[in-house]
């Protein structure tokens, strides 16, 4: 995978994660923007349909996969981003191998390419993507990737979208464990803090609706997912910095004066 310019690469664990998490921010990121879906491999024919894909209405694993690929193509076209798919099958269809596709992907990127990865709130698959990307970036001598709040998971925090979001994540046992894990090893500083305008929300809603096959079970787990003031209303990206010298731990204040506050922009 070689983008046409340095631009931005967003690692999306599954086909819908980038749209759910950063669809509003895409227009603010250095282009071209490429979404790389990590768990994008086709299931082997012997796999029975997973419980999740069955709940989405599919009869076979491959039927679900092909529908998701088509959904993702529509969403990426709508958002004006390039799409790259790695060949790791999704969890229920995987063989437990390491996510080596991330290694090859990052090795091909220009040094100037900006990389965004999920913070991995309450999602083991996302955590595997995050940790692999951090380790590979370090091995390659790349800049540490920025991390984005994966939605709708992080967005269920009561303080989500407010000035106190980071402090609340630092205390929350329900939605803040990934944030706390990262701040135990790194210094996180808010890089983008976006509360979506009506126009931005309309585009995001349309992109999320492209993934229609998953919306019913997502709503069962996450309530009124597409409510205007629901868990998708705000997006957040943190720059990951080295631990401050002499402190022995990361700062994790989340309120860096250099953060890009683009609320209502």
């Amino acid at each position: 995978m070689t983008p046409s310019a340095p631009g931005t690469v967003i690692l999306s664990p599954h086909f819908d994660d980038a749209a759910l998490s950063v669809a509003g921010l895409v227009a603010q990121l250095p282009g071209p923007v490429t979404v790389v879906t990590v768990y994008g491999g086709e299931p082997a024919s012997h796999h029975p349909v997973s419980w999740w894909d069955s709940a989405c209405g599919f009869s076979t694993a491959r039927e679900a996969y092909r529908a998701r690929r088509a959904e993702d193509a529509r969403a990426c076209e709508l958002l004006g981003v390039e799409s790259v798919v790695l060949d790791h099958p999704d969890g229920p269809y995987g063989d437990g191998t390491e996510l080596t596709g991330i290694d090859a992907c990052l090795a091909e990127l220009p040094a100037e390419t900006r990389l965004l990865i999920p913070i991995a709130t309450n999602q083991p698959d996302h955590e595997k993507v995050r940790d692999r990307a951090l380790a590979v970036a370090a091995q390659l001598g790349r800049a540490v990737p920025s991390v984005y709040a994966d939605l709708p998971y992080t967005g269920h925090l009561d303080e989500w979208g407010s000035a106190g979001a980071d402090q609340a994540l630092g205390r929350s046992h329900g939605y803040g464990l990934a944030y706390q894990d990262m701040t135990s090893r790194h210094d996180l500083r808010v890089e983008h803090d976006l509360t979506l305008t009506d126009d931005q929300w309309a585009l995001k809603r349309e992109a999320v609706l492209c993934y229609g096959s998953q919306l019913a079970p997502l709503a069962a787990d996450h309530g009124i997912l597409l409510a205007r003031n629901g868990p998708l209303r705000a997006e957040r990206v943190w720059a990951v910095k080295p631990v401050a010298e002499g402190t022995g731990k990361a700062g994790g204040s989340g309120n860096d004066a250099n953060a890009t506050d683009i609320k209502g922009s």
Side-chain angles (χ1 to χ4, degrees), residues 2-85:
T2 305
S4 54
T8 303
V9 166
I10 303 168
L11 287 191
S12 181
H14 306 101
F15 283 118
D16 57 351
D17 288 314
L20 287 165
S21 302
V22 292
L25 278 169
V26 161
Q28 309 287 337
L29 302 174
V33 176
T34 301
V35 172
V36 176
T37 301
V38 176
Y39 294 102
E42 184 168 5
S45 59
H46 67 272
H47 282 291
V49 66
S50 71
W51 70 268
W52 177 264
D53 287 343
S54 178
C56 291
F58 296 111
S59 301
T60 69
R62 286 191 167 180
E63 178 192 15
Y65 173 77
R66 289 164 184 165
R68 298 250 165 74
R69 285 294 302 266
E71 290 174 341
D72 188 60
R74 291 194 294 272
C76 288
E77 182 178 7
L78 178 68
L79 293 173
V81 301
E82 300 177 37
S83 175
V84 171
V85 177

Side-chain angles (χ1 to χ4, degrees), residues 123-163:
Q123 285 295 301
D125 283 351
H126 295 207
E127 184 176 354
K128 291 176 184 176
V129 170
R130 181 198 71 189
D131 290 347
R132 186 81 183 192
L134 288 171
V136 172
Q139 291 167 5
L140 295 172
R142 297 186 60 88
V144 181
S146 297
V147 293
Y148 62 84
D150 26 16
L151 304 177
Y153 315 101
T154 320
H156 288 300
L157 187 79
D158 288 341
E159 295 84 356
W160 189 242
S162 75

Side-chain angles (χ1 to χ4, degrees), residues 29 32 60 67 89 149 166 180 245:
L29 302 174
T60 69
D166 281 18
Q180 294 160 30
E245 292 185 8

Side-chain angles (χ1 to χ4, degrees), residues 207-237:
V208 171
L209 287 171
C210 290
Y211 300 96
S213 69
Q214 300 196 81
L215 292 183
L218 275 174
D221 287 345
H222 298 285
I224 306 175
L225 186 71
L226 288 176
R228 180 66 178 89
N229 292 316
L232 307 183
R233 70 188 181 278
E235 300 175 357
R236 201 167 185 85
V237 174

